Amino acid sequence: MLKSKAYSLKTKRGNIRKIVKEHYLREDILCGFANCPVHVPSSDPSDWSRPPIPPSFLNPFLSPKKSTLPIAPNHYLVPDTNTLLSHLDLFVHVDSIQNVILLSTVLEELRHLNFSSFQRVREVVAERPEKSWFVFCNEFFKDCFVERGFGESMNDWNDRAIRNAVEWYNFHLQSIPSPKPTHQAILITSDKNSLTLARSSGIPAFTIKQYIESLTEYPQLIDMLSNTDDDELELDSAKSSKKNPIFEEYWAKPVVMKGLKDDVLIQGSLSISAHNYLEGSIHCKEFEFEYNGGTHLCGNVLILGRENLNRGTHGDTVAVKLLPKSQWKYSNTSVILESDDEGDDETDEMDVDEQSKKIVDMDVDEVAVAGSVPVPTAKVVHIIKRSWRPYCGTIEAPKSKVGTSSSQQQTLFFHPLDKRIPKIRLRTRQAAFLASKRIIVSIDEWTRYSKFPNGHFVRVVGDVFDKATETEVLLVEYDVPFLPFSKKVEDCLPKEGAGWVVQEKDFEHRVDFREWDVCSIDPPGCTDIDDALHCRMLESGNYEVGVHIADVGHFVKQGNAMDLEAARRGTTVYLVDKRIDMLPSLLGTNLCSLHCNVERLAFSVIWEMNSDAEILDVKFTKSVIKSKASFTYDEAQIRLDDKISEDPLSKSIKMLNMLAKKLRQKRIDAGALTLASPEVRFKMERDTNDPVEVEMKELKDTNALVEEFMLLANISVAKKIHERFPDSSMLRRHPIPPATNFENLKNSVKEKGFEFEVSSSKALSDSLDLAVLPKDPYFNKLLRIMTTRCMMQAVYFCSGTISEADYLHYGLASPIYTHFTSPIRRYADLVVHRLLAATIGYEKEYSSDLTDKVKMEELCQVLNFRHRMAQMASRSSVELYTHLFFRNKVEELDGYVIRILKNGFSVLVPKYGIEGFVYSSLDSNTESPFTFDPVKNRLTAGNQESITINLFDKVVVQVSIDEGADGGNYKSKLVLKLVEPVVKGFSVKSLK
């Protein structure tokens, strides 16, 4: 049956166009019941006369849920759009929420309102058949289709279509054989009008709160209800409306859009300081402003204080209005706040609390003396897009008279582990159970009458300070996908499983390198071996060098389920005790991994070089290799140091090392930077897997050898794919850091007697080489660590989106660069493999996605996010195990001052590679003995003018762990106390 849908569309020029689309109605749409005699699916994919078998069916055999409502024990939930969107955590995470009918009307509306929520629903339907969620295409089913009435709003039309579908289901259920006496479809809606109309038509309809409260067997589900349609919350809001609002009302959207267009407002992503929850900033498009008769450029705007942040949270896309120049600041607050101990709405009804005022009104005259240009400040006037996500943390102890053992609902505050996020108010009946648990909470709303947002409980992760719990928490916090691979992904693996071997057909268009002396060099315990190398002398006296990379693309075909999952994960995440793989282990640690003495498929880059490491020729080819050995760095170093051994592999390693040193020198001469970071390695106790020793990683010549040829391969491949795909190559760039990033560092280095030039990477590299203190050999490494922190983040990008001059990788001093050498653990490398395969003609046909620069740039942004989150998760894992190591210990250690702020200084402890903060006052009630000089960037100890704290100063600190409740949040915290220099009344007594 054919219908037509007509609607009007307003063009960019303001013209109105009428769009008419054909709408086909069918009678064979599946209802979701496998035993339905009317709607029968086809098991034959080639049979187009009937619909195929869906991912899951509704299940009438599931145990009935006992409800106090007048509904059948065996029932099926049909949520409307707002209910599904507002309570998605409840629907997804609770196993007992089964047999859900998802109408196409609801899903289409959800897709437009919140695409990420739409994707979550699709994942449940496709990958969790035990939930028995079924998608019913009511809009295309003849008996459920409803015409839109004249003058009927889109919302009313959708609600009517939903009610009509529920009514049809209840009629249709009477014709389906069932093991239960009665079946019923239940409409779940928060719309009062739709609820009234449904009940007047005899359709069973309830709010989600009514339904959940009726399930007396599951009282804990009540905590998971969102506050968005809570009657009690409406009463609270009514009461709150009689108070003075804490925050300004947001500007109307049309006014905001006009303000952005007229450059009255500025749009950007709000970034809250990790150290100061009352300080935010946005990076925005550079704009000019006049100050002291000069014109200045600015691309960063500060937002200070609760009032100016105006309910903005970290990651939100906001519109801001600049404050008057008299309120601009000459620097950031230079303050680290320890915890959010600001009370609650009931005890503090001021527009802005005292701590916020202190920050906004901080004295800037002392900075202005230096003649610096102020940083513009602004206030948030509109939230364009929220970035709320599930947050991990703990609840604080209830302050009410109701005991924690009571099952009565209590209002408590949840403290997120992420200090950039404010406390979240929630209601719970599980206060006793949730105490000292890590839980996950989602934000529902934040009204202008409340200092804190309202949220709801999602689930328990585990006990605080439990190792497994804290590891899962950091994965959730950094949005690392860590669930097991789905059956769809597993189905993409070779059917032979671990028994897969290279076949004769696999040699087609590949070069056979099996007889060559190829070996791999990796860290100890490495099982996902991406790369292997070889080197041999040619008859001409030149050298042939080969880098062989696992051919992951042979197994991961573009567009299949495994490829989509790998793209979603982006990268393998390495934690101290485990890793979260990008690919199933059958590929990552077996079939793709270049283990020794087994034939493996590879993608090879082969150079011909002379003895000066000059490249005479380069070739790219798919290949088959058989590695002769899998060395650790130490094992390869032994071969390198052995002057006598002349076996083929030892000779190969020695030749590679000779060439690598020359390649490295060429890079350094061109301006490549040699930076540093404090990396540690843990030794674990075998039974408990607890850390028993922490040591700094030691880099050997073999580390540099492998690094040098991986860099060369990446550069060579980047040049090659850019020739063939100049507008859609996936490349990697390292932007030039602004000179302002180095200002404090330059001044501090100057006091040590060194000039610090940052005009180019070459000048910076030379400055680093010259900055050596004979009496302090660690100084140069410390300077390189601090220089690393002044750098910009390296990012993936699509070549057609920026000019070639901006392709530069600043740190490597290379005009073009990409990632090719680690496709097992990085999705970007897999994309580059596909580009290179198409470039050399190995793939005669390839996906149009490789030439679509819009899609390629979108993918780059996803991978940049995943890469950044993986780095942060890895660092948090190291921090977790460092805290476990120092638990119940106090050690006195040497350290170096690496950052100075108004209320303290950061100290790096080289022995363990840890960093902590020494607060300049013993507690909030004690006056600091230090005076902060922002011009010289130093702290001076009161009357003891001879005692100053400067950047690079060597100090002695006591290191311990505090596992107390930090402002209501149970979080282990590294505590550093100053021992030397001795500041009277402040330094602690030495343990020695």
Side-chain angles (χ1 to χ4, degrees), residues 51 69 85 195 205 326 396 502 519 567 675 767 786 802 835 861 885 927 952 963:
L69 294 174
L85 180 60
L195 202 64
S326 60
E396 65 183 22
V502 177
C519 67
L675 301 177
S767 296
M786 296 177 67
I802 61 175
L835 289 164
Q861 296 307 318
F885 174 76
E927 187 176 349
F952 301 115
E963 290 188 341

Side-chain angles (χ1 to χ4, degrees), residues 496-504 506 555 591 599-601:
E496 302 89 342
W500 179 92
V501 294
V502 177
Q503 302 289 332
E504 190 64 34
D506 296 323
F555 299 94
L591 305 186
E599 295 177 358
R600 287 290 180 256
L601 302 180

Side-chain angles (χ1 to χ4, degrees), residues 526-537:
C526 179
T527 55
D528 52 345
I529 303 174
D530 287 285
D531 55 87
L533 305 100
H534 88 271
C535 182
R536 63 176 185 170
M537 180 79 76

Side-chain angles (χ1 to χ4, degrees), residues 903-917:
N903 66 333
F905 52 95
S906 294
V907 175
L908 176 68
V909 179
K911 182 178 179 180
Y912 296 118
I914 58 175
E915 181 182 335
F917 195 76

Side-chain angles (χ1 to χ4, degrees), residues 58-174:
L58 297 168
N59 189 352
F61 295 92
L62 288 173
S63 299
K65 297 175 182 63
K66 296 177 183 179
S67 170
T68 58
L69 294 174
I71 58 178
N74 249 73
H75 52 264
Y76 307 91
L77 303 181
V78 187
D80 69 359
T81 309
N82 287 334
T83 298
L84 189 61
L85 180 60
S86 300
H87 300 86
L88 191 55
D89 288 328
L90 176 68
F91 279 90
V92 170
H93 289 293
V94 177
D95 293 336
S96 55
I97 303 295
Q98 300 167 307
N99 277 336
V100 176
I101 299 171
L102 300 163
L103 303 179
S104 58
T105 298
V106 171
L107 290 182
E108 186 62 19
E109 195 172 8
L110 182 66
R111 186 172 70 88
H112 288 291
L113 289 173
N114 192 311
F115 189 73
S116 62
S117 296
F118 172 74
Q119 290 286 66
R120 286 180 69 190
V121 171
R122 286 185 61 185
E123 287 175 8
V124 173
V125 173
E127 299 177 10
R128 297 179 63 185
E130 74 280 359
K131 294 278 285 182
S132 295
W133 287 19
F134 179 76
V135 177
F136 178 59
C137 300
N138 63 303
E139 292 182 328
F140 297 92
F141 185 47
K142 180 182 175 184
D143 293 344
C144 289
F145 177 78
V146 294
E147 294 273 8
R148 185 176 180 182
F150 179 76
E152 186 176 29
S153 70
M154 182 66 75
N155 187 61
D156 289 344
W157 181 31
N158 287 338
D159 287 345
R160 187 160 60 91
I162 294 169
R163 293 194 299 272
N164 188 59
V166 177
E167 189 173 25
W168 176 86
Y169 256 106
N170 282 317
F171 172 77
H172 179 64
L173 283 170
Q174 299 173 17

